[in-house]
Each structure stands twice: as C-alpha cells, then as structure tokens.
Amino acid sequence: MERLEAAMAKARAARGDRQLGAETTGVSPAAGSGAKPTPDTLPATLPDTAPGTAPGTAPQTVAAADWSVLPSIDISPRQARAKRINAVLGTEFASQYDILRSRVLRQMKDNKWTRLAVTSPRTKSGKTTISLNLALSLARNSDQKIILMDFDMRRPSLATLLNIKSGPDIAGLLRPSARLTDYAVRFGSNLAICSSRTPVRNSAELLQSKSTKEALDRIEAEWQPDIMIFDTPPMQGNDDNLGFFGHIDCALIIAGAGGDTLAQIDRCEQEVSSLTNVLGTILNKCKYFDKNTGYDSAYY
C-alpha cells in the first residue's frame, strides 16, 4: 500500500493536481478539481429563508418518510461469509470497513457532502462488495440513515450479493411518478437498498437525464438520508459516469490488486477528479500483512 500511495503521489505531482489531503492507510490522499464546491468556495452569505418562504418567516420542517414501511431483508451468517459481507459478522471481520467508514464519514461531514459514488478503473475490483459493506458499517450507527443504490446498470450485481430475486429494477425508480417504497428493501431500521437484476438499455442516457436528477432530489427530500451511496460502473469502457457524476458530491475509487495497473489507476483518478471530488483510492484484494500496523489487509 505504501508503494501505491507513493507512486500515486508522484503521478499527481507530475500532472500538477491539487490534493485535498487525507493521510490514511488504505485510502490515498484525495485529489481532483472537484465539480462540487467545497465550503471554502461557497458564497459568504446565504438566503435565510427557503424558496417560496416569506422573508422573516421560519422555514417549514418537513418530516422524513417512515422507513419502517419498507420491506425488510436479512443477511444470514452463512450468506455473509460466502459473499464477503464482513460488516455484519462482528468486529473481528468488520474492523477494516469500520475504519473506512470513519474516514469517509469524517471527510463527508467536514465538506457537507451527502452523495457518494463508488467506482473503479475496470471490472472485477470488488467495488460492489465494498459499497455494500460500507453502507452496512455506516448503518450500524442508528442515528444515521443510509440509502444504497445499484447504479451499475450495465452489470448490476448488488441483488446477487443479497439474494434478492424479485421486485422491480431500479431504472423504474427514476421515473417522475415512482415511489421508493416500490423499489427499496430495508436492512435493519436505517439502511434502504435499491437493486437491479437485469441490465438496463441506454443506461448512459438514463443516468445523464434530467429525470435522474429530479428523482434523486425527490428521494433525498422525502426520505432525508444522511448519506446516499451509489455503486456505479467502472470508468473504462462506458460513459455512464460522465453525466451522472454531476449529481453527486464525491467518489471513492476501488482498485483491484493484480488487475488494475498503476497507469490505469492514475488515469481513473484523473477522469474522476475532472467530474467530482475524489474522496480517496482503495487497493482491494491485496493479500499481505502490514508489519507496521499489524493489519491483515486481505480484501480491504
């Protein structure tokens, strides 16, 4: 991991990218121009009333939708071990995801970000597994509400991980009249999951459409999640993320050890940083023991 971080730092310096900083093990320093403004670049003054609210009148508080109406699912220990859903197997197995959770949560809170995309340079990096484990780890804090969506519409795999075999596909959720209650399941009391089982045609056009932005805004306003996580396609070989990343605040890059080269990781980071803020880069599927930390970093 130290070699990867050093190599990535050298590559960033060579291309002159501005680093946003994050001295972490397993998550490289964030980088990129960031399509979304950080608090430092926001206007000094903001309106003190919501749109449509008379000046001097306190804005109305809208209650969040009732999460208990979503159908619930369970993850058995056997299923969790078979599918590497370690975040539900106890501290011994979940510790690495808990560390990732804390670092992600800190950066997102510091910057007032709520929408996180998870992507990778190429396929088979394990990004869907990490997306699910991160969401489960975040949801163990009962004060937080999390929504996880499978937006890798060309190769959806979240439903397979969770053994979800029925229900409408997520593409329908992006229609103006759609309701989250018809497309989401609930794990525990505060994690909503929207998945798909079949590939979606014209996924790039759908993700880049105005209806997608409106649907996400509508869901966020109605259900009031603290964080929305989107499992998105790899950057290579499609243009799905080029339009969609304008709807999110930041992205986490998952690189697969032995599959993604340093050049591919660097190129991926450059592309993502031109579209949104890069929260960090994780080297996944790396089987080694770090003598300095004592951590076994297998399948981070």
Side-chain angles (χ1 to χ4, degrees):
M1 178 58 68
E2 292 179 356
R3 292 181 180 178
L4 173 64
E5 291 179 352
M8 291 300 296
K10 184 177 180 180
R12 293 188 199 105
R15 68 175 188 259
D17 279 355
R18 175 175 62 87
Q19 294 188 7
L20 299 181
E23 60 293 342
T24 60
T25 302
V27 181
S28 72
S33 58
K36 296 280 185 175
T38 63
D40 291 337
T41 62
L42 291 173
T45 58
L46 296 173
D48 58 2
T49 57
T53 304
T57 303
Q60 294 182 348
T61 300
V62 180
D66 183 4
W67 286 55
S68 66
V69 302
L70 299 175
S72 64
I73 62 169
D74 192 21
I75 302 174
S76 69
R78 180 178 180 180
Q79 176 188 355
R81 286 190 292 269
K83 300 295 180 65
R84 297 184 183 273
I85 310 176
N86 294 347
V88 298
L89 291 176
T91 304
E92 178 184 355
F93 300 93
S95 60
Q96 292 298 313
Y97 290 110
D98 291 347
I99 293 171
L100 175 62
R101 168 194 64 188
S102 297
R103 290 170 176 166
V104 166
L105 193 59
R106 182 189 67 187
Q107 290 194 58
M108 293 190 71
K109 281 188 174 181
D110 286 348
N111 291 286
K112 295 181 172 58
W113 294 335
T114 58
R115 297 181 184 178
L116 167 67
V118 181
T119 188
S120 60
R122 303 189 306 165
T123 60
K124 299 181 179 179
S125 66
K127 63 179 179 59
T128 300
T129 302
I130 287 184
S131 297
L132 176 58
N133 277 287
L134 175 59
L136 289 165
S137 182
L138 286 165
R140 289 217 309 276
N141 183 341
S142 60
D143 294 333
Q144 296 180 145
K145 294 180 179 179
I146 312 298
I147 295 180
L148 171 62
M149 295 188 173
D150 191 345
F151 269 28
D152 190 349
M153 296 185 180
R154 296 174 187 258
R155 299 181 182 86
S157 56
L158 187 57
T160 301
L161 274 181
L162 292 168
N163 289 336
I164 297 175
K165 299 178 180 179
S166 62
D169 288 330
I170 198 172
L173 179 60
L174 305 181
R175 299 191 184 101
S177 60
R179 301 182 305 169
L180 186 71
T181 50
D182 297 325
Y183 292 86
V185 296
R186 173 176 50 83
F187 181 84
S189 62
N190 58 337
L191 172 58
I193 302 172
C194 302
S195 62
S196 289
R197 294 167 312 287
T198 57
V200 176
R201 287 187 175 183
N202 303 319
S203 57
E205 291 78 6
L206 177 61
L207 290 173
Q208 296 173 19
S209 67
K210 181 180 178 182
S211 64
T212 293
K213 179 184 183 304
E214 292 174 344
L216 296 181
D217 291 344
R218 183 176 65 252
I219 291 168
E220 194 167 39
E222 182 179 0
W223 295 85
Q224 299 179 22
D226 294 282
I227 294 179
M228 299 178 74
I229 301 175
F230 303 90
D231 177 24
T232 62
M235 294 300 295
Q236 181 177 310
N238 67 83
D239 63 337
D240 290 23
N241 294 337
L242 298 185
F244 177 66
F245 276 15
H247 305 323
I248 56 129
D249 298 307
C250 56
L252 189 64
I253 298 171
I254 311 300
D260 297 317
T261 66
L262 177 59
Q264 290 167 339
I265 299 171
D266 183 48
R267 180 178 178 182
C268 177
E269 188 177 88
Q270 291 183 59
E271 292 175 347
V272 174
S273 67
S274 70
L275 302 170
T276 189
N277 298 291
V278 178
L279 196 64
T281 300
I282 293 177
L283 182 63
N284 192 30
K285 300 184 179 181
C286 182
K287 183 66 176 179
Y288 79 102
F289 185 80
D290 190 331
K291 296 180 180 179
N292 296 322
T293 64
Y295 292 149
D296 182 354
S297 299
Y299 225 97
Y300 186 93

